[in-house]
PDB file of all heavy atoms in Angstrom:
ATOM      1  N   ALA A 376     -13.642   8.028 -18.318  1.00  0.00           N
ATOM      2  CA  ALA A 376     -12.340   7.959 -18.990  1.00  0.00           C
ATOM      3  C   ALA A 376     -11.213   8.361 -18.041  1.00  0.00           C
ATOM      4  O   ALA A 376     -10.122   7.778 -18.078  1.00  0.00           O
ATOM      5  CB  ALA A 376     -12.351   8.865 -20.213  1.00  0.00           C
ATOM      6  N   LEU A 377     -11.473   9.347 -17.189  1.00  0.00           N
ATOM      7  CA  LEU A 377     -10.461   9.762 -16.209  1.00  0.00           C
ATOM      8  C   LEU A 377     -10.105   8.601 -15.288  1.00  0.00           C
ATOM      9  O   LEU A 377      -8.913   8.300 -15.077  1.00  0.00           O
ATOM     10  CB  LEU A 377     -10.990  10.950 -15.396  1.00  0.00           C
ATOM     11  CG  LEU A 377     -10.144  11.370 -14.182  1.00  0.00           C
ATOM     12  CD1 LEU A 377      -8.772  11.860 -14.615  1.00  0.00           C
ATOM     13  CD2 LEU A 377     -10.872  12.448 -13.379  1.00  0.00           C
ATOM     14  N   HIS A 378     -11.099   7.945 -14.748  1.00  0.00           N
ATOM     15  CA  HIS A 378     -10.837   6.833 -13.825  1.00  0.00           C
ATOM     16  C   HIS A 378     -10.189   5.650 -14.540  1.00  0.00           C
ATOM     17  O   HIS A 378      -9.319   4.974 -13.967  1.00  0.00           O
ATOM     18  CB  HIS A 378     -12.132   6.415 -13.127  1.00  0.00           C
ATOM     19  CG  HIS A 378     -12.667   7.459 -12.196  1.00  0.00           C
ATOM     20  ND1 HIS A 378     -11.899   8.039 -11.215  1.00  0.00           N
ATOM     21  CD2 HIS A 378     -13.887   8.038 -12.109  1.00  0.00           C
ATOM     22  CE1 HIS A 378     -12.622   8.934 -10.551  1.00  0.00           C
ATOM     23  NE2 HIS A 378     -13.838   8.954 -11.079  1.00  0.00           N
ATOM     24  N   GLU A 379     -10.574   5.419 -15.786  1.00  0.00           N
ATOM     25  CA  GLU A 379      -9.950   4.344 -16.547  1.00  0.00           C
ATOM     26  C   GLU A 379      -8.477   4.661 -16.798  1.00  0.00           C
ATOM     27  O   GLU A 379      -7.603   3.795 -16.686  1.00  0.00           O
ATOM     28  CB  GLU A 379     -10.684   4.149 -17.877  1.00  0.00           C
ATOM     29  CG  GLU A 379     -10.088   3.056 -18.757  1.00  0.00           C
ATOM     30  CD  GLU A 379     -10.084   1.685 -18.107  1.00  0.00           C
ATOM     31  OE1 GLU A 379     -11.002   1.413 -17.291  1.00  0.00           O
ATOM     32  OE2 GLU A 379      -9.167   0.880 -18.405  1.00  0.00           O
ATOM     33  N   ASN A 380      -8.187   5.915 -17.128  1.00  0.00           N
ATOM     34  CA  ASN A 380      -6.803   6.323 -17.345  1.00  0.00           C
ATOM     35  C   ASN A 380      -5.977   6.178 -16.067  1.00  0.00           C
ATOM     36  O   ASN A 380      -4.825   5.724 -16.090  1.00  0.00           O
ATOM     37  CB  ASN A 380      -6.759   7.775 -17.831  1.00  0.00           C
ATOM     38  CG  ASN A 380      -5.808   7.983 -18.997  1.00  0.00           C
ATOM     39  OD1 ASN A 380      -6.132   8.649 -19.962  1.00  0.00           O
ATOM     40  ND2 ASN A 380      -4.620   7.417 -18.914  1.00  0.00           N
ATOM     41  N   LEU A 381      -6.571   6.536 -14.929  1.00  0.00           N
ATOM     42  CA  LEU A 381      -5.861   6.420 -13.652  1.00  0.00           C
ATOM     43  C   LEU A 381      -5.599   4.965 -13.305  1.00  0.00           C
ATOM     44  O   LEU A 381      -4.565   4.634 -12.713  1.00  0.00           O
ATOM     45  CB  LEU A 381      -6.662   7.100 -12.544  1.00  0.00           C
ATOM     46  CG  LEU A 381      -6.765   8.632 -12.641  1.00  0.00           C
ATOM     47  CD1 LEU A 381      -7.731   9.168 -11.591  1.00  0.00           C
ATOM     48  CD2 LEU A 381      -5.402   9.283 -12.484  1.00  0.00           C
ATOM     49  N   ARG A 382      -6.509   4.068 -13.694  1.00  0.00           N
ATOM     50  CA  ARG A 382      -6.337   2.645 -13.396  1.00  0.00           C
ATOM     51  C   ARG A 382      -5.179   2.032 -14.186  1.00  0.00           C
ATOM     52  O   ARG A 382      -4.655   0.978 -13.810  1.00  0.00           O
ATOM     53  CB  ARG A 382      -7.634   1.871 -13.696  1.00  0.00           C
ATOM     54  CG  ARG A 382      -8.673   1.963 -12.584  1.00  0.00           C
ATOM     55  CD  ARG A 382      -9.782   0.935 -12.782  1.00  0.00           C
ATOM     56  NE  ARG A 382     -10.641   1.295 -13.904  1.00  0.00           N
ATOM     57  CZ  ARG A 382     -11.732   2.048 -13.798  1.00  0.00           C
ATOM     58  NH1 ARG A 382     -12.081   2.546 -12.610  1.00  0.00           N
ATOM     59  NH2 ARG A 382     -12.468   2.322 -14.849  1.00  0.00           N
ATOM     60  N   LEU A 383      -4.788   2.695 -15.264  1.00  0.00           N
ATOM     61  CA  LEU A 383      -3.682   2.176 -16.067  1.00  0.00           C
ATOM     62  C   LEU A 383      -2.338   2.343 -15.379  1.00  0.00           C
ATOM     63  O   LEU A 383      -1.333   1.785 -15.823  1.00  0.00           O
ATOM     64  CB  LEU A 383      -3.646   2.886 -17.430  1.00  0.00           C
ATOM     65  CG  LEU A 383      -4.864   2.631 -18.336  1.00  0.00           C
ATOM     66  CD1 LEU A 383      -4.765   3.461 -19.602  1.00  0.00           C
ATOM     67  CD2 LEU A 383      -4.976   1.143 -18.680  1.00  0.00           C
ATOM     68  N   GLY A 384      -2.309   3.110 -14.295  1.00  0.00           N
ATOM     69  CA  GLY A 384      -1.092   3.210 -13.500  1.00  0.00           C
ATOM     70  C   GLY A 384      -0.382   4.536 -13.648  1.00  0.00           C
ATOM     71  O   GLY A 384      -0.740   5.391 -14.463  1.00  0.00           O
ATOM     72  N   SER A 385       0.639   4.698 -12.817  1.00  0.00           N
ATOM     73  CA  SER A 385       1.430   5.927 -12.779  1.00  0.00           C
ATOM     74  C   SER A 385       2.823   5.656 -13.344  1.00  0.00           C
ATOM     75  O   SER A 385       3.374   4.564 -13.143  1.00  0.00           O
ATOM     76  CB  SER A 385       1.520   6.420 -11.328  1.00  0.00           C
ATOM     77  OG  SER A 385       2.286   7.585 -11.236  1.00  0.00           O
ATOM     78  N   PRO A 386       3.448   6.601 -14.048  1.00  0.00           N
ATOM     79  CA  PRO A 386       2.931   7.940 -14.330  1.00  0.00           C
ATOM     80  C   PRO A 386       1.808   7.921 -15.358  1.00  0.00           C
ATOM     81  O   PRO A 386       1.805   7.094 -16.273  1.00  0.00           O
ATOM     82  CB  PRO A 386       4.156   8.689 -14.869  1.00  0.00           C
ATOM     83  CG  PRO A 386       5.014   7.618 -15.470  1.00  0.00           C
ATOM     84  CD  PRO A 386       4.832   6.418 -14.575  1.00  0.00           C
ATOM     85  N   VAL A 387       0.880   8.832 -15.203  1.00  0.00           N
ATOM     86  CA  VAL A 387      -0.283   8.891 -16.075  1.00  0.00           C
ATOM     87  C   VAL A 387       0.118   9.403 -17.450  1.00  0.00           C
ATOM     88  O   VAL A 387       0.871  10.369 -17.570  1.00  0.00           O
ATOM     89  CB  VAL A 387      -1.363   9.817 -15.478  1.00  0.00           C
ATOM     90  CG1 VAL A 387      -2.508  10.010 -16.458  1.00  0.00           C
ATOM     91  CG2 VAL A 387      -1.867   9.242 -14.158  1.00  0.00           C
ATOM     92  N   ARG A 388      -0.374   8.732 -18.474  1.00  0.00           N
ATOM     93  CA  ARG A 388      -0.276   9.228 -19.841  1.00  0.00           C
ATOM     94  C   ARG A 388      -1.701   9.328 -20.364  1.00  0.00           C
ATOM     95  O   ARG A 388      -2.381   8.319 -20.552  1.00  0.00           O
ATOM     96  CB  ARG A 388       0.544   8.288 -20.726  1.00  0.00           C
ATOM     97  CG  ARG A 388       0.725   8.799 -22.166  1.00  0.00           C
ATOM     98  CD  ARG A 388       1.549   7.805 -22.985  1.00  0.00           C
ATOM     99  NE  ARG A 388       1.848   8.312 -24.324  1.00  0.00           N
ATOM    100  CZ  ARG A 388       1.069   8.161 -25.379  1.00  0.00           C
ATOM    101  NH1 ARG A 388      -0.088   7.496 -25.237  1.00  0.00           N
ATOM    102  NH2 ARG A 388       1.415   8.643 -26.551  1.00  0.00           N
ATOM    103  N   VAL A 389      -2.184  10.544 -20.561  1.00  0.00           N
ATOM    104  CA  VAL A 389      -3.562  10.756 -20.989  1.00  0.00           C
ATOM    105  C   VAL A 389      -3.763  10.108 -22.352  1.00  0.00           C
ATOM    106  O   VAL A 389      -3.088  10.455 -23.326  1.00  0.00           O
ATOM    107  CB  VAL A 389      -3.881  12.264 -21.066  1.00  0.00           C
ATOM    108  CG1 VAL A 389      -5.241  12.486 -21.698  1.00  0.00           C
ATOM    109  CG2 VAL A 389      -3.829  12.888 -19.681  1.00  0.00           C
ATOM    110  N   SER A 390      -4.677   9.133 -22.420  1.00  0.00           N
ATOM    111  CA  SER A 390      -4.863   8.386 -23.668  1.00  0.00           C
ATOM    112  C   SER A 390      -6.322   8.028 -23.946  1.00  0.00           C
ATOM    113  O   SER A 390      -6.670   7.739 -25.095  1.00  0.00           O
ATOM    114  CB  SER A 390      -4.029   7.102 -23.631  1.00  0.00           C
ATOM    115  OG  SER A 390      -4.398   6.298 -22.516  1.00  0.00           O
ATOM    116  N   GLN A 391      -7.170   8.015 -22.925  1.00  0.00           N
ATOM    117  CA  GLN A 391      -8.579   7.661 -23.138  1.00  0.00           C
ATOM    118  C   GLN A 391      -9.275   8.773 -23.927  1.00  0.00           C
ATOM    119  O   GLN A 391      -9.194   9.953 -23.562  1.00  0.00           O
ATOM    120  CB  GLN A 391      -9.270   7.444 -21.805  1.00  0.00           C
ATOM    121  CG  GLN A 391      -8.670   6.311 -20.984  1.00  0.00           C
ATOM    122  CD  GLN A 391      -8.798   4.967 -21.686  1.00  0.00           C
ATOM    123  OE1 GLN A 391      -9.900   4.528 -22.010  1.00  0.00           O
ATOM    124  NE2 GLN A 391      -7.664   4.322 -21.922  1.00  0.00           N
TER     125      GLN A 391
END
Side-chain angles (χ1 to χ4, degrees):
L377 171 64
H378 293 308
E379 179 60 31
N380 225 135
L381 292 173
R382 279 193 288 270
L383 295 176
S385 179
V387 173
R388 182 180 185 272
V389 172
S390 58
Q391 299 297 302

